[in-house]
Amino acid sequence: MLAREELDGPVRAGILTPAQADRLIAYYNRDSDPVADREEVRFARGFHDIFITIGIVILFAGLFIALATLLPDSMQQNLPTFATAAVVAWALAEWLVARRKLALPAIVLSVLFTTFAAIAMLALYGQISGSSGFVSRLDFLVPANWGRSTSGPLVFGLAAFAAGALYYVRFHVPIALTGLVAGGLAAVGGLLETASPGLVSGHPALFMLASGIVSFALAMRFDARDLDRTTLNTDKAFWLHLLAAPLIMHSVMMLVGPETGSTGEAFIIIAVVLALGVVALIVDRRALLVSGLIYLGIALAQLFGNANVQADSGLAVVLLILGLFVLILGSGWTSVRRMMLAPFVDTGLFDFVPPIRTHAK
């Protein structure tokens, strides 16, 4: 097996381009263990990454407290606080990502820089336009609240898109692509709301569902480019799937109807989660089920509540069922997928999803 980390040096030195490194990895790993995990994502190379990330979190906590103390009402105005935080996040990325190539800090700093830069640009726009009041509360970013300020989501989305693109081009961190996509979707929603007030804020579930489908389609595009999942395309797809799943799941739940806590609603939630599980098995992406587990827990709690099960006992049973579900599905993932997709072996389906794994010899 050839690990990506082994080619970081040649890529930094300009001997190989990232695309050439991906092709080398795919070539040398073509005969690797067929039962290896195809959803491997490198969050950390060791506890060193985790230790550094803890330091980053502590540093930014101290930075925000210091700025809130030194700059009156800075947390309400946002611009000085978040602009400074974005600059610090970029500076840390130059050190820890560009030079040290640390995995987990790269992920955390990508999220921090994109978020801080977008909020800072939003605050700057608010001060220039004289509408800074909406900047101090970010609840307007929820599509249902976009009627309050159509310009807010548009500016925030464009800023997040630009920040994500800048971070991605400079550091080539896969999760930055997700920030770029999320910002772009928010910007499109802002444009739609500006052109036709109420189009998005009046139908937030439909917009979220469309955004989730777009994210899923982009994720599948990257997955289709790397069916063996040995290059950075698989990491890009993973983060996009992680964005798509909650958007799709939550929007479907909103379309189902108001939260009544009824038994019928609980069964609908379970059916949706199971459908999402089938899609996850087909595309071989466990990440799609993460948000579904939360709703599955809610549905089970509703069922036990309607059955007059005592609260503590119901909670214990829900957690036990969820735990067993994850363990059984996780350990039998390959076998279940093989049985499900066996009838489609000779079809074009496997031009887009990973092949069925076989047992190692």
Side-chain angles (χ1 to χ4, degrees):
M1 290 287 290
L2 179 65
R4 281 179 215 153
E5 293 83 358
E6 297 179 64
L7 297 181
D8 281 345
V11 171
R12 288 197 302 270
I15 299 172
L16 295 174
T17 65
Q20 289 172 332
D22 282 347
R23 288 198 294 271
L24 274 174
I25 292 169
Y27 176 79
Y28 279 107
N29 294 348
R30 67 190 187 283
D31 296 321
S32 60
D33 182 2
V35 297
D37 186 6
R38 294 185 187 275
E39 207 170 3
E40 180 182 359
V41 179
R42 291 161 180 79
F43 291 100
R45 298 178 190 171
F47 191 75
H48 177 65
D49 279 33
I50 299 173
F51 188 71
I52 292 294
T53 302
I54 292 173
I56 291 173
V57 174
I58 295 173
L59 174 67
F60 277 103
L63 178 65
F64 273 76
I65 293 173
L67 290 174
T69 303
L70 296 174
L71 301 173
D73 296 327
S74 64
M75 293 303 290
Q76 283 68 43
Q77 296 300 326
N78 286 310
L79 180 56
T81 298
F82 287 98
T84 301
V87 171
V88 172
W90 185 273
L92 288 174
E94 288 288 351
W95 173 34
L96 299 173
V97 182
R99 296 184 61 183
R100 301 289 300 278
K101 299 294 182 182
L102 301 181
L104 187 58
I107 294 171
V108 172
L109 288 171
S110 174
V111 175
L112 293 180
F113 172 75
T114 302
T115 304
F116 294 158
I119 295 176
M121 289 301 298
L122 184 62
L124 177 62
Y125 169 79
Q127 291 188 3
I128 293 174
S129 64
S131 56
S132 59
F134 67 82
V135 181
S136 61
R137 61 182 196 282
L138 297 180
D139 61 332
F140 75 90
L141 292 176
V142 177
N145 299 330
W146 283 9
R148 300 180 186 177
S149 172
T150 57
S151 60
L154 175 59
V155 173
F156 184 88
L158 290 174
F161 178 87
L166 188 64
Y167 194 94
Y168 179 74
V169 170
R170 175 68 183 94
F171 303 111
H172 303 290
V173 177
I175 193 176
L177 185 66
T178 302
L180 183 157
V181 171
L185 291 171
V188 169
L191 283 172
L192 292 173
E193 185 70 14
T194 301
S196 179
L199 181 62
V200 175
S201 60
H203 308 87
L206 292 176
F207 174 73
M208 291 175 64
L209 179 60
S211 298
I213 292 173
V214 169
S215 300
F216 177 77
L218 289 172
M220 290 304 301
R221 180 177 176 83
F222 284 110
D223 268 341
R225 291 179 178 178
D226 181 21
L227 295 179
D228 291 326
R229 295 186 177 170
T230 57
T231 71
L232 282 177
N233 282 323
T234 188
D235 288 36
K236 297 171 186 176
F238 170 83
W239 293 110
L240 286 169
H241 279 301
L242 214 57
L243 171 66
L247 287 173
I248 294 174
M249 191 71 202
H250 187 61
S251 61
V252 170
M253 291 302 99
M254 292 173 66
L255 291 170
V256 165
E259 296 183 3
T260 61
S262 66
T263 301
E265 183 186 59
F267 280 117
I268 292 175
I269 294 175
I270 293 173
V272 172
V273 172
L274 291 177
L276 191 64
V278 171
V279 175
L281 281 164
I282 293 173
V283 302
D284 203 9
R285 282 293 185 185
R286 298 167 184 83
L288 282 172
L289 276 174
V290 173
S291 59
L293 291 176
I294 298 174
Y295 284 98
L296 181 59
I298 293 173
L300 291 174
Q302 288 180 3
L303 289 177
F304 287 121
N306 293 337
N308 296 320
V309 177
Q310 193 173 13
D312 291 343
S313 300
L315 177 61
V317 174
V318 167
L319 293 176
L320 286 170
I321 292 175
L322 285 178
L324 286 172
F325 174 76
V326 172
L327 289 173
I328 293 172
L329 182 60
S331 59
W333 185 274
T334 302
S335 299
V336 174
R337 185 170 187 267
R338 187 186 304 114
M339 289 187 294
M340 179 184 295
L341 297 184
F344 305 97
V345 170
D346 296 324
T347 68
L349 176 64
F350 292 99
D351 292 336
F352 306 97
V353 301
I356 299 174
R357 294 180 238 174
T358 58
H359 291 292
K361 297 178 181 179

